[in-house]
Amino acid sequence: MINLIFRRFIAKWISLVKIRNIPFNNQHKLFFSSPLPITGAFVTGLCLSVLFAACSSPSTVSSSNPSATSVSNSASSKATVLRFGYQKSNILLRNKGVLEKRLSPDGISVEWIEFPAGPQLLEAMNVGSIDFGHVGESPPIFAQAAGASLTYVAGIASSPAGSAILVPQNSSIQKLTELKGKKVAFQKGSSAHLLLVQALEKAGLKYTDIEPKYLPPADARAAFVKGSVDAWVIWDPFYAAAQEATKARVLIDGTGINKQGGYYLGTRKFVTENPQTVKAVLEEIQSLEEWSKQHREEVAQTLSSVLAIDIATMRKATNRRTFGIVPIDDNLIALQQKVADTYYQLKLIPKQVNVKDGVLTQEQYAAFSPKI
């Protein structure tokens, strides 16, 4: 009973802070807009997770050992609701309704919860408020460093041209080396964070050479427009919108730097107990990605309407996006481990992270991975 009460409390809490589909230029504050330390937020989530575990019977707590967790889809454990966390960059999946159509015959409904960025999404996943979601390559590392339990389900194809370091149109900054001593805004623990780190290294600068300003997209845009920061590291569609609305100049994009995209992740319990549901979800995602690749104009038109972003902006964002998902394999794990090692060496995470702690066995992946 206590466990049920806590779960209902968290579900109610999340419902109160859902991010709605508002126009991009709306200046209302978004949830999680304050630049709190990522690891600190996860500690709070972990405390709640411990309470859940303490109030649960041993039989309901899933094993943290991938090889010891059976892949079953029994009637007693099969989920009837998929709580899907998403960001604006993946709103087409929700808009098309493909998951509802696929899962409804099996008695499974889909609940959608929007987040401004990956770190906030994984905070919600850590406290058990969502089952599944997509983020860039960096959020899982910060999450794992904070002790969060998560499972890598599939990789997202890299879109290196879809993120960049921007400076105001009239900025005197012309090259990366001139960022030294400057204020740079970005979401901590996001893909933008890694792009900045890698770009600075490419320019021969250290991370400590710049003054980081940890801000989520909406607040970073406001600071950028006001001139409170010298540069902004951001991804599409926010990146394209800034180009169109503010005529921001691209200092450098991720081309030649970004080697991976992001990930679809899930809670270990949901993924291991519902492999057939996960398989159906991945198949629908891949099918939509293939369709999008061949129908970019329709994608841009749809997103323009849904996000209330002008069509020119959405065309720009859509045309530089690489569509598709990729399986979790040794190469992808090795790339992700390099990301983890980089953040640890820069002392941006408190401990070393072993990416494989969030990886399943080959047999478990085979149970739900579509042919990609």
Side-chain angles (χ1 to χ4, degrees):
M1 177 59 71
I2 296 176
N3 181 41
L4 180 60
I5 292 172
F6 273 107
R7 290 184 182 277
R8 286 178 175 174
F9 168 77
I10 290 300
K12 181 65 176 177
W13 171 72
I14 268 294
S15 70
L16 292 175
V17 296
K18 287 183 181 179
I19 308 301
R20 304 296 182 186
N21 290 333
I22 57 177
F24 178 82
N25 61 359
N26 192 303
Q27 293 302 309
H28 293 298
K29 291 289 184 179
L30 296 176
F31 180 59
F32 289 108
S33 61
S34 59
L36 293 173
I38 298 299
T39 52
F42 266 101
V43 169
T44 301
L46 285 173
C47 290
L48 291 170
S49 297
V50 170
L51 287 173
F52 289 160
C55 297
S56 302
S57 63
S59 62
T60 62
V61 180
S62 60
S63 170
S64 60
N65 183 351
S67 62
T69 307
S70 63
V71 179
S72 65
N73 213 17
S74 64
S76 61
S77 63
K78 183 178 179 180
T80 57
V81 178
L82 168 62
R83 299 169 299 170
F84 202 114
Y86 72 102
Q87 302 174 59
K88 287 188 183 297
S89 59
N90 203 34
I91 201 170
L92 186 67
L93 182 64
R94 174 183 178 176
N95 181 260
K96 286 294 184 180
V98 294
L99 295 188
E100 287 83 352
K101 292 176 183 177
R102 177 68 179 271
L103 299 178
S104 180
D106 293 327
I108 303 173
S109 60
V110 183
E111 292 182 0
W112 297 90
I113 303 174
E114 184 181 337
F115 296 90
Q120 294 90 329
L121 188 154
L122 290 185
E123 288 167 15
M125 183 177 291
N126 184 54
V127 298
S129 296
I130 60 173
D131 308 303
F132 206 84
H134 78 108
V135 300
E137 77 292 300
S138 296
I141 300 303
F142 282 77
Q144 286 187 272
S149 176
L150 51 81
T151 301
Y152 292 87
V153 176
I156 300 173
S158 176
S159 297
S163 57
I165 300 177
L166 305 178
V167 295
Q169 184 180 27
N170 60 353
S171 173
S172 62
I173 300 174
Q174 298 296 325
K175 51 188 178 181
L176 282 171
T177 53
E178 294 172 359
L179 285 178
K180 188 171 184 177
K182 303 299 184 181
K183 297 176 182 178
V184 183
F186 57 94
Q187 168 73 61
K188 184 177 182 180
S190 69
S191 58
H193 198 160
L194 182 64
L195 173 59
L196 175 62
V197 169
Q198 293 175 323
L200 291 175
E201 182 179 2
K202 182 177 181 179
L205 295 178
K206 297 179 181 179
Y207 185 72
T208 52
D209 286 331
I210 58 102
E211 185 178 342
K213 295 296 180 182
Y214 301 136
L215 299 170
D219 290 348
R221 176 188 168 101
F224 184 76
V225 171
K226 292 178 182 178
S228 301
V229 295
D230 302 295
W232 179 22
V233 195
I234 191 60
W235 58 88
D236 279 328
F238 306 103
Y239 163 26
Q243 282 185 294
E244 291 296 320
T246 72
K247 305 304 177 184
R249 181 158 46 83
V250 178
L251 194 60
I252 189 174
D253 67 19
T255 302
I257 299 177
N258 288 348
K259 302 298 184 183
Q260 63 198 104
Y263 296 93
Y264 281 97
L265 300 106
T267 64
R268 188 171 295 275
K269 178 178 175 62
F270 184 88
V271 173
T272 56
E273 291 183 355
N274 300 275
Q276 294 308 309
T277 299
V278 173
K279 181 178 181 180
V281 169
L282 292 181
E283 287 176 347
E284 291 303 319
I285 290 174
Q286 178 63 1
S287 178
L288 181 60
E289 292 284 295
E290 290 297 326
W291 176 87
S292 299
K293 190 185 302 182
Q294 304 301 323
H295 299 83
R296 291 179 182 269
E297 178 61 22
E298 189 171 341
V299 170
Q301 292 283 355
T302 300
L303 293 180
S304 175
S305 175
V306 173
L307 298 175
I309 297 178
D310 66 273
I311 186 61
T313 294
M314 286 315 311
R315 283 197 185 106
K316 182 171 291 187
T318 302
N319 288 335
R320 60 190 174 204
R321 177 176 173 180
T322 302
F323 291 98
I325 57 176
V326 295
I328 302 296
D329 57 18
D330 291 342
N331 180 59
L332 206 58
I333 295 171
L335 285 173
Q336 187 69 345
Q337 188 61 54
K338 288 182 179 179
V339 175
D341 295 342
T342 295
Y343 281 128
Y344 179 68
Q345 291 163 5
L346 292 173
K347 299 181 180 179
L348 293 172
I349 55 176
K351 64 179 182 180
Q352 285 187 311
V353 165
N354 184 356
V355 171
K356 289 185 177 179
D357 288 342
V359 176
L360 299 176
T361 65
Q362 292 183 349
E363 291 75 17
Q364 287 172 311
Y365 282 120
F368 60 70
S369 294
K371 294 181 179 179
I372 301 173

